[in-house]
Amino acid sequence: MGTPEFAVASLKALVEGGFNVVAVVTQPDKPVGRHGSVLQPSEVKKYAVQQKIPVLQPEKMKDEDFLAQLRSFQADLQVVVAFRMLPEVVWDMPRYGTFNVHAALLPQYRGAAPINWAVINGEMITGITTFFLDHDIDTGKIIMQAPFEIPDEADVEYVYDGLMTLGAKLCIDTVNAIIENDGQVEAMPQDELVSGDMVLHPAPKIFKETCRIDWTLSTKRMYDFIRGLSPYPGAWTTLRHGQEQPVVVKIFRTEKCDAIKGYEEPGLVLTNQKGLFVTTTDGSLRILSLQLAGKKRMEAADFLNGFRDDGTWTLE
């Protein structure tokens, strides 16, 4: 059960590993195009169709026709990767239960966007967790975990790709362990990993407003925020020249720099022979890659070729 590219890696590993994948469950095709007249299948569906695996696409997970179809496959085990919340009638159906491949080291970063939030929060290590589903989101007993280092310069794309590969490997290891132990694999309650002073970071779904840059944060916080949303969905701000109407700008790549003497107010746009800079509360950020509304992503050098260095430019 899964939808995006991240889930395809685990599905592919199962198929190529010789496991009998009897069916795939994914989201209904999405309308795309100007009038929504074209239906776009999920990445998981595309791969399943190539492999001639039956595909189920329920609108509602408690639909009786869907449940009857799911039961008819008599699956021993269900694997969930980047999908939706399942009702008990679904996750409790197979004799070996249902496990999830989650892109974080639970109990940290429970929620829909664990990769983004780990980078946004400046984590140096994240990882993959496999766990049995239960009634609440991302709270079930942990089967296996594997760590993944996050370099300081890494963006979400790097971490996503790394965790996708690691997730596929841990998925196979988990399936093998469950089969070898006839479903009685040892699993640890997440409460046993929570100490009294531990702060648990959530990973809620990210919306457009979540992605707006707060220029009152520290240089490091903003640097992490920008790379935690790059390349998708993209951290954004508004660029204003004097009294002109502001334009929306997405920023994808920056570099932490020292403060620029004489410019203490955060959010000021400055240029010199070294590039394009924005002042922060405790330093500055050099912008390396950005995108103006309606334009393609570009390097800062290309942006500066058309930049009018007259008057005050601010980011808000």
Side-chain angles (χ1 to χ4, degrees):
M1 299 184 177
T3 297
E5 177 193 21
F6 192 92
V8 176
S10 292
L11 174 58
K12 185 177 180 182
L14 288 166
V15 170
E16 294 182 354
F19 296 96
N20 182 21
V21 181
V22 294
V24 159
V25 182
T26 190
Q27 296 280 41
D29 295 357
K30 278 189 174 182
V32 295
R34 181 175 295 180
H35 303 292
S37 56
V38 178
L39 292 177
Q40 178 73 37
S42 72
E43 294 301 315
V44 162
K45 179 179 178 179
K46 290 177 187 177
Y47 179 80
V49 169
Q50 289 174 0
Q51 299 299 318
K52 297 181 171 54
I53 302 171
V55 177
L56 306 182
Q57 296 177 272
E59 292 281 352
K60 297 180 180 179
M61 300 301 290
K62 291 184 180 180
D63 179 82
E64 287 299 330
D65 289 339
F66 162 68
L67 294 176
Q69 276 187 296
L70 196 60
R71 287 192 192 96
S72 71
F73 289 106
Q74 298 181 319
D76 298 300
L77 177 67
Q78 290 174 162
V79 182
V80 179
V81 189
F83 196 48
R84 57 205 284 190
M85 188 173 180
L86 303 182
E88 183 175 1
V89 67
V90 173
W91 57 255
D92 195 42
M93 193 179 292
R95 65 186 181 116
Y96 289 159
T98 303
F99 78 84
N100 185 281
V101 179
H102 186 74
L105 295 176
L106 294 174
Q108 295 290 0
Y109 297 103
R110 294 168 175 159
I115 303 176
N116 296 94
W117 285 108
V119 181
I120 288 171
N121 290 336
E123 301 286 0
M124 299 177 69
I125 294 178
T126 184
I128 293 289
T129 301
T130 56
F131 68 95
F132 285 115
L133 265 65
D134 63 11
H135 293 93
D136 297 315
I137 296 177
D138 300 337
T139 59
K141 291 183 178 180
I142 292 173
I143 309 166
M144 293 183 180
Q145 289 189 317
F148 181 85
E149 291 187 8
I150 305 177
D152 184 63
E153 69 279 4
D155 61 12
V156 159
E157 186 172 43
Y158 173 90
V159 182
Y160 180 99
D161 289 346
L163 290 180
M164 182 168 60
T165 301
L166 182 61
K169 180 183 181 303
L170 206 67
C171 174
I172 297 301
D173 291 346
T174 301
V175 172
N176 281 327
I178 290 172
I179 292 172
E180 289 167 6
N181 291 277
D182 196 29
Q184 302 303 307
V185 64
E186 185 176 346
M188 178 183 296
Q190 292 190 33
D191 289 347
E192 294 185 14
L193 297 175
V194 181
S195 59
D197 59 348
M198 180 182 289
V199 176
L200 294 182
H201 299 288
K205 186 176 180 179
I206 289 176
F207 298 94
K208 181 181 178 181
E209 278 306 310
T210 313
C211 302
R212 186 164 192 166
I213 302 169
D214 180 357
W215 293 104
T216 66
L217 298 176
S218 69
T219 304
K220 170 74 165 116
R221 289 281 305 279
M222 279 189 284
Y223 171 79
D224 291 337
F225 183 81
I226 290 167
R227 67 191 182 100
L229 295 167
S230 178
Y232 183 82
W236 64 274
T237 185
T238 55
L239 176 64
R240 183 190 294 272
H241 179 245
Q243 299 303 310
E244 294 178 8
Q245 287 294 313
V247 294
V248 174
V249 181
K250 285 187 176 182
I251 300 176
F252 298 101
R253 218 161 42 89
T254 63
E255 183 178 81
K256 301 186 293 290
C257 299
D258 295 332
I260 301 172
K261 290 184 179 180
Y263 298 95
E264 286 75 31
E265 181 184 347
L268 294 177
V269 180
L270 305 170
T271 63
N272 59 31
Q273 68 276 15
K274 294 182 179 180
L276 178 66
F277 295 83
V278 182
T279 58
T280 68
T281 55
D282 61 349
S284 65
L285 282 176
R286 181 186 177 198
I287 297 177
L288 301 175
S289 178
L290 69 161
Q291 180 180 13
L292 295 173
K295 305 289 185 180
K296 292 183 179 180
R297 178 173 171 174
M298 67 181 82
E299 297 302 300
D302 296 323
F303 171 78
L304 287 172
N305 288 335
F307 184 80
R308 289 186 293 140
D309 195 6
D310 58 338
T312 303
W313 290 83
T314 56
L315 291 172
E316 301 171 349

